[in-house]
Amino acid sequence: MASALRVLGIDPGLTRCGVGVVDVARDRSAALVHVGVVRSVVDLPIAERLATIAAGLRQVIAAHRPDVVAVERVFAQQNRATVMGTAQASGVALLLAAEHGLAAATHTPSEVKAAITGYGSADKRQVQTMVARVLRLDVLPQPADAADALAIALCHAWRRAAPGAGAAVPGGADDLTPAQRAWAEAERAAARR
Amino acid sequence: MASALRVLGIDPGLTRCGVGVVDVARDRSAALVHVGVVRSVVDLPIAERLATIAAGLRQVIAAHRPDVVAVERVFAQQNRATVMGTAQASGVALLLAAEHGLAAATHTPSEVKAAITGYGSADKRQVQTMVARVLRLDVLPQPADAADALAIALCHAWRRAAPGAGAAVPGGADDLTPAQRAWAEAERAAARR
């Protein structure tokens, strides 16, 4: 898609970090570019696990050259046992985006659900079914982390493309400037092609 | 100190990330090498803040070439408003250690207090006073994040140097192998000089 925005969605995690790359056109149509999971071995030291995740994310960025990166936002209230590792992985994902000169935004799980299905309390299966339909996939992407990464990527593109998206987006005010900048830059780049 | 272990202690944070480098000899005596704080601007996007922290940590590693990195462990129960940023910064710190080929360990706040003052419920002032005394500083290091980073570095060296330190250290089992390896490597390197 010549004028599409290419978004790398990341569902951060230490054991499984979902990655999904989609091209999204101005008419909101979308095409799958890449989907997968970066894994790290549970019994390695935490620093080596984060380095494994970083290496996998760098490979995806190098192979697919996204215009922008969208990462699911982590909350302290979520699953206690793994939330710190998830937050650490999200920090690594956001760092890599910045170090590649890519705009990065975060979206909450309910923002993602609302963007994909129309309501913020949709269940995971409903989100995955809609992602598969939008991307014209015959089967639901597996594992769930990979499907979630695609949902985050679509959410990001659609929220940014929506008319009037801006300061009115709840909770997103701090992410908007770089994402809007990325969209404008991608459009200008596409116009020059 | 020819046979000293050089430890970089990091008190992770997004607004202020404390860094302290100490040389610790086998007799537990210690010397200050560097102390400071890496800051990032609050209203920048999170990815750029993490990149600022990473750049500052890389400068400290390049300038002072530590043998090992010790990072304070973050818990979900801690201060809700900032804990996610702290966890993300700790993920960046651990990643940088791994990418520089440095062993990395984490220590809980109570492990640090116990190592420095002898009891895990010491207050911050007691820890800082002991750090200043051990390092023969005329004034307490400021801000508190910088003093905490020195305490983490001393804690790491002392726990590793303690006779019989190993699986018996509470909560530290997952950190021990790389740290012990770093100590052994530093000793071997010192013997060759």
Side-chain angles (χ1 to χ4, degrees), chain A residues 47 58 84 87-88 90 94 99, chain B residues 58 84 87-88 90 94 99:
Chain A
R58 283 198 182 99
M84 287 295 110
Q88 290 172 320
S90 80
L94 291 163
E99 294 193 338
Chain B
R58 284 198 182 98
M84 286 297 109
Q88 290 172 320
S90 79
L94 291 163
E99 293 193 339

Side-chain angles (χ1 to χ4, degrees), chain A residues 95-179:
Chain A
L95 172 69
L96 294 185
E99 294 193 338
H100 283 79
L102 300 170
T106 59
H107 298 288
T108 66
S110 58
E111 284 171 355
V112 174
K113 289 173 183 173
I116 302 298
T117 69
Y119 51 106
S121 55
D123 66 27
K124 271 187 173 292
R125 180 83 183 183
Q126 290 170 307
V127 173
Q128 290 169 16
T129 302
M130 186 61 81
V131 165
R133 189 176 306 167
V134 166
L135 296 174
R136 296 173 300 282
L137 309 177
D138 294 331
V139 294
L140 301 190
Q142 293 292 337
D145 315 79
D148 288 348
L150 291 172
I152 294 156
L154 288 172
C155 162
H156 183 75
W158 288 350
R159 283 167 62 92
R160 279 13 182 189
V169 179
D174 57 337
D175 310 322
L176 286 174
T177 313

Side-chain angles (χ1 to χ4, degrees), chain A residues 168-192:
Chain A
V169 179
D174 57 337
D175 310 322
L176 286 174
T177 313
Q180 289 177 321
R181 198 190 319 142
W183 181 274
E185 283 167 5
E187 284 201 313
R188 280 195 299 274
R192 285 194 298 269

Side-chain angles (χ1 to χ4, degrees), chain B residues 34-60:
Chain B
H34 172 80
V35 64
V37 170
V38 180
R39 296 171 194 273
S40 81
V41 177
V42 172
D43 51 4
L44 281 181
I46 172 75
E48 292 178 39
R49 299 187 71 186
L50 291 166
T52 303
I53 299 295
L57 294 179
R58 284 198 182 98
Q59 279 182 2
V60 172

Side-chain angles (χ1 to χ4, degrees), chain B residues 52-130:
Chain B
T52 303
I53 299 295
L57 294 179
R58 284 198 182 98
Q59 279 182 2
V60 172
I61 292 172
H64 301 292
R65 306 202 163 276
D67 298 309
V68 59
V69 177
V71 182
E72 185 158 305
R73 192 173 294 187
V74 190
F75 293 93
Q77 302 90 308
Q78 290 170 333
N79 181 354
R80 283 251 181 108
T82 62
V83 68
M84 286 297 109
T86 304
Q88 290 172 320
S90 79
V92 165
L94 291 163
L95 172 69
L96 293 185
E99 293 193 339
H100 283 80
L102 300 171
T106 60
H107 298 288
T108 66
S110 59
E111 284 170 354
V112 174
K113 289 172 183 174
I116 302 298
T117 69
Y119 51 106
S121 56
D123 66 28
K124 273 189 173 289
R125 181 85 185 182
Q126 291 172 307
V127 173
Q128 290 168 16
T129 302
M130 186 60 80

Side-chain angles (χ1 to χ4, degrees), chain B residues 17-35:
Chain B
C17 183
V19 291
V21 182
V22 295
D23 281 342
V24 183
R26 286 311 299 266
D27 67 1
R28 296 170 58 96
S29 66
L32 176 68
V33 175
H34 172 80
V35 64

